[in-house]
Amino acid sequence: MGLYLNKGNALFKRALNSKIYVDKSKLISYTNNVLDTENEYICDSRPRRFGKSMTANMLAAYYDKNCDSMLLFKNLDIKNDKTYKQHLNKYDVIYFDIQQILEDSGKPDNFINYIQKEVITELEEEYPGFVKPGETSLPRALETIFSNPGSGNKGFIIIIDEWDCIFREAQNDFNIHKQYLGFLKNLFKGRSYIKLAYMTGILPIKKYGSHSALNIFDEFSMTDPAMLAEYAGFTENEVTDLCQKHNLDFNEMQYWYNGYLAYNYNTNEVFIPNHEIREEFITATRSSGWN
C-alpha cells in the first residue's frame, strides 16, 4: 500500500461510517461497462462540495487489488450488478490528489517531476525487477510493467482528484500549464495500460480544449451530466429518505436550502432540535448542491 499506488480503502470506509451517507455505488456499474473501451476516459467537472472526492475514493476502494473491499460494498446497490465481482479489487489503482501533490512538491515547477519520481518508486517496490533502473518516465514505467507477462499486471486504473487545481494555483504560469497538459497527454493518450481514467475537477475540460491532451475524455458537467446526473449531489428522493430517517421535515429543509443562497444562513441558529444530526445533514445537502 502506497501514497499513490494502491492506497487502500480507508477514505471510503470513513465516508460509510458517517451519519450522512448516500449510496452512489451504481456509478461503478457505468465505469465497469466502459472499462477497457474507447469510453474509458471520464471527467466529472462540478462545483466544489458535490461529492467528487468521495466518489473518487469509492472507485479507488472498489478497484484496488491490494485491499479487500467486499465488506464495504456488501450492503450497497452495486452488489446486485452482474459486473460487481468481476472487477472487485482486481487492478492497480494510481490515485492523484493534485491539491495535495502541489503542496508536497513544494512549488508548481517541480510538480511533474515529483509525481513521476514518487510513483515510479512505489512501482519499483510493487514490481521489483520490472522497472528499468534509473527510469524517470512514469508512462514508460507503466507500459513496461503492463507489457511484461511475468508481472501479472492487468492494467492500471488512474484516478485524478481536482485535476485542474494547478490552473488555479499557478494561474499565470502558462509554461507550467503546457507542461502539465503534455504530461497528461503522454500519460493517457494511446496507452494500452489504461483500463479506466477518472478525473474530477471544477472547471470544464473544454476550457483547455485547444490542447489535444484532453479530447479523449467524456465530460460530465453541471450543464451536461448525461447518465451520471444522479451520482453527484443529492437527488430529491435521497433527501426525502434522509429526512424520514432523521425525523426532519422535508418542506422545512427545502425552504432553508435555496441553491447557493443557503450559505447566507446560520445553521446553528435555525436548527436547534436534533442539533448534531440536523447540522450535519444541512451541511451535507447544502454542500452537495441539492436543490
Side-chain angles (χ1 to χ4, degrees), residues 96 112 115-116 138-139 179-187:
F96 294 139
I112 295 172
I115 286 181
Q116 299 195 97
L138 177 57
Q179 290 178 22
Y180 178 49
L181 290 171
F183 169 71
L184 292 179
K185 178 180 180 180
N186 197 27
L187 182 65

Side-chain angles (χ1 to χ4, degrees), residues 54-240:
M54 195 217 72
T55 301
N57 291 332
M58 176 186 71
L59 293 175
Y62 173 77
Y63 289 112
D64 187 338
K65 73 173 190 180
N66 280 4
C67 62
D68 184 351
S69 299
M70 183 168 288
L71 288 178
L72 298 183
F73 289 96
K74 70 174 183 177
N75 295 320
L76 302 185
D77 291 339
I78 187 59
K79 72 179 185 301
N80 298 317
D81 190 272
K82 63 182 181 180
T83 66
Y84 168 61
K85 291 185 179 179
Q86 179 183 355
H87 300 292
L88 177 64
N89 300 134
K90 296 290 174 55
Y91 298 90
D92 283 304
V93 176
I94 297 176
Y95 190 110
F96 294 139
D97 179 339
I98 300 301
Q99 177 72 57
Q100 187 62 55
I101 293 174
L102 279 171
E103 294 178 6
D104 292 345
S105 64
K107 49 185 180 179
D109 58 3
N110 188 44
F111 168 68
I112 295 172
N113 287 336
Y114 178 86
I115 286 181
Q116 299 195 97
K117 179 181 178 181
E118 293 297 313
V119 179
I120 288 172
T121 297
E122 293 187 8
L123 288 170
E124 289 173 332
E125 295 174 355
E126 182 73 17
Y127 293 98
F130 288 94
V131 179
K132 295 178 180 179
E135 181 64 83
T136 59
S137 168
L138 177 57
R140 195 162 52 228
L142 296 174
E143 197 71 72
T144 300
I145 292 170
F146 176 69
S147 62
N148 193 319
S151 71
N153 175 264
K154 296 182 179 180
F156 292 90
I157 308 287
I158 296 185
I159 298 174
I160 302 181
D161 195 18
E162 293 196 76
W163 79 272
D164 55 345
C165 178
I166 195 165
F167 296 100
R168 305 191 304 273
E169 297 297 322
Q171 295 183 30
N172 300 316
D173 197 328
F174 300 109
N175 185 51
I176 290 177
H177 299 177
K178 184 178 179 180
Q179 290 178 22
Y180 178 49
L181 290 171
F183 169 71
L184 292 179
K185 178 180 180 180
N186 197 27
L187 182 65
F188 291 128
K189 202 159 190 177
R191 296 296 186 177
S192 59
Y193 57 73
I194 297 289
K195 299 305 171 185
L196 179 74
Y198 186 88
M199 301 200 308
T200 75
I202 296 174
L203 298 175
I205 275 182
K206 64 184 178 181
K207 180 178 177 64
Y208 310 100
S210 60
H211 195 289
S212 62
L214 306 178
N215 62 11
I216 57 176
F217 279 85
D218 291 328
E219 182 159 32
F220 301 90
S221 64
M222 286 289 292
T223 57
D224 188 17
M227 70 285 292
L228 300 192
E230 64 182 289
Y231 305 123
F234 290 170
T235 66
E236 185 171 329
N237 287 338
E238 289 167 345
V239 175
T240 300

Side-chain angles (χ1 to χ4, degrees), residues 16-62:
L16 287 174
N17 289 338
S18 300
K19 293 178 181 177
I20 302 298
Y21 175 77
V22 175
D23 185 357
K24 300 293 184 178
S25 64
K26 283 186 178 179
L27 170 64
I28 296 170
S29 177
Y30 176 79
T31 58
N32 281 349
N33 285 327
V34 300
L35 200 75
D36 202 18
T37 72
E38 293 292 329
N39 302 109
E40 65 191 11
Y41 300 93
I42 301 167
C43 184
D44 184 11
S45 58
R46 312 271 180 160
R48 293 184 183 278
R49 313 307 301 171
F50 266 71
K52 300 187 300 294
S53 294
M54 195 217 72
T55 301
N57 291 332
M58 176 186 71
L59 293 175
Y62 173 77

